[in-house]
Amino acid sequence: MDRDHWQRHLSQQEITRGYHDGFKLLFCPWHLTDTADTLFLSLNPGNDPSGELMRTASDERGNSYLVQREAKHSPMADQYRQLCQFIGKDPEEVLAGSLMPFRTGKWDKNRDQPNISVARPFWRQVLATGKIRRVFCMGREVEDEVVNLTRARLKRQIPANWGNLNIRRYATGDDLQIFGLLHFSTYKMFGRPDCIPQLAELLDVDLDQKA
């Protein structure tokens, strides 16, 4: 996978598809496409509060959620850090990205969902390498796309303990694990005590060892 190709491609597609606020495919350095075994996939990027990286295929500074100037503005930054701590994963080693790479202030299903196709070849290739063994999906749109790309089967569905919402676990024949979680920018699951046992059950985390 070539970063320069995707930088050019997204620059062209932003204009072709009528977006004006930039794009971001990866919230981490590009080299993690070769080394990461865990993927954190969000729906699409919002505006960059720093104004520094409005149009970029990847964040070569490090993980965007951990970069101080951006992280303090991001509603998902703290949730991302807590997830990584919860599963015992170094947050700098996670491949983090967006399903639909164009920046928007708000998701518009009619406008934005068709443009998931722009980065679909990229994510298909990432998942096909076999290096990624766990995928954490932010929201149902991301979950459905990853399940379709991998042909994973539903293994478990349990209440999120947030209204009538559920969270799910899928697996493929070669045991790629896919977790369909609530989107952290709207549902701060690690800030709601009732959600923690549900996350532990779904992710197979022993809470007694974390006590």
Side-chain angles (χ1 to χ4, degrees), residues 154-190:
L154 180 66
K155 297 297 184 180
R156 191 81 189 276
Q157 176 172 283
I158 62 174
N161 283 355
W162 199 314
N164 61 355
L165 300 174
N166 296 313
I167 50 180
R168 288 161 291 278
R169 176 172 59 84
Y170 304 80
T172 64
D174 64 350
D175 204 33
L176 167 64
Q177 298 289 312
I178 299 164
F179 301 98
L181 305 181
L182 307 186
H183 199 303
F184 287 165
S185 65
T186 303
Y187 302 96
K188 298 175 177 62
M189 297 189 75
F190 285 98

Side-chain angles (χ1 to χ4, degrees), residues 54-100:
M54 293 303 291
R55 291 175 171 82
T56 187
S58 61
D59 192 339
E60 296 305 305
R61 303 171 300 177
N63 188 289
S64 299
Y65 298 121
L66 306 178
V67 174
Q68 184 62 36
R69 276 176 293 180
E70 179 163 311
K72 68 181 180 181
H73 295 288
S74 172
M76 285 220 297
D78 185 57
Q79 294 291 299
Y80 171 78
R81 288 192 293 264
Q82 289 194 65
L83 171 65
C84 291
Q85 183 178 16
F86 196 68
I87 63 174
K89 189 69 183 176
D90 184 340
E92 294 281 12
E93 294 180 354
V94 174
L95 183 65
S98 55
L99 185 67
M100 200 288 285

Side-chain angles (χ1 to χ4, degrees), residues 24-62:
K24 195 173 194 178
L25 180 59
L26 294 182
F27 296 92
C28 62
W30 193 266
H31 74 82
L32 285 167
T33 58
D34 291 324
T35 60
D37 63 7
T38 301
L39 171 61
F40 180 87
L41 192 57
S42 189
L43 186 55
N44 78 308
N47 291 323
D48 178 11
S50 72
E52 295 178 349
L53 293 172
M54 293 303 291
R55 291 175 171 82
T56 187
S58 61
D59 192 339
E60 296 305 305
R61 303 171 300 177

Side-chain angles (χ1 to χ4, degrees), residues 77-139:
D78 185 57
Q79 294 291 299
Y80 171 78
R81 288 192 293 264
Q82 289 194 65
L83 171 65
C84 291
Q85 183 178 16
F86 196 68
I87 63 174
K89 189 69 183 176
D90 184 340
E92 294 281 12
E93 294 180 354
V94 174
L95 183 65
S98 55
L99 185 67
M100 200 288 285
F102 301 113
R103 296 184 184 276
T104 63
K106 183 179 180 181
W107 180 261
D108 183 323
K109 185 174 183 178
N110 290 333
R111 175 196 64 194
D112 299 327
Q113 190 147 9
N115 293 312
I116 288 173
S117 64
V118 173
R120 184 174 288 140
F122 174 83
W123 292 117
R124 180 182 287 114
Q125 188 173 358
V126 166
L127 294 166
T129 65
K131 296 174 184 176
I132 297 294
R133 306 313 304 154
R134 291 184 296 184
V135 184
F136 295 92
C137 303
M138 293 292 97

